[in-house]
Amino acid sequence: EAPAVLERVDQILADLSDFSAVSIEHALRELCTQMELKPGKAFAPIRFAVTGRTVTPGLFECIEVLGRDRARDRIAQARTRLASVLAQ
């Protein structure tokens, strides 16, 4: 599930016109509904990809502060590392 979540999140962040914590939260909660995942299950890999930690201040605020490009770069790096681990 984590690879699929991270792939979708990357696209969501790329497409958001309003890159605010409120918009990010709305979009990611909608993703949970679409993927039929509980928020905790979906947000854990996003949180780890974006911050490198499992416990952080507000996820949506962290993404907003990092900015679109930096957040997407971190998600891309996490996707690459995860694909490498899963391929072993």
Side-chain angles (χ1 to χ4, degrees):
E1 294 174 346
V5 168
L6 293 177
E7 180 178 351
R8 297 274 302 272
V9 168
D10 182 47
Q11 191 58 54
I12 288 168
L13 295 182
D15 293 343
L16 274 178
S17 58
D18 173 21
F19 203 78
S20 67
V22 171
S23 293
I24 294 165
E25 179 177 8
H26 176 75
L28 296 185
R29 290 194 183 279
E30 178 62 29
L31 173 67
C32 293
T33 301
Q34 292 171 2
M35 295 186 76
E36 298 179 356
L37 294 172
K38 292 184 179 182
K41 184 97 169 164
F43 296 166
I46 302 167
R47 183 181 311 279
F48 193 75
V50 170
T51 68
R53 300 178 186 269
T54 56
V55 178
T56 65
L59 173 61
F60 318 113
E61 291 80 4
C62 287
I63 294 171
E64 179 184 26
V65 168
L66 278 172
R68 183 187 322 266
D69 293 338
R70 219 158 157 201
R72 290 189 67 217
D73 285 346
R74 291 183 181 191
I75 289 169
Q77 290 172 11
R79 288 177 62 199
T80 299
R81 280 189 238 115
L82 185 57
S84 174
V85 168
L86 293 175
Q88 294 178 358

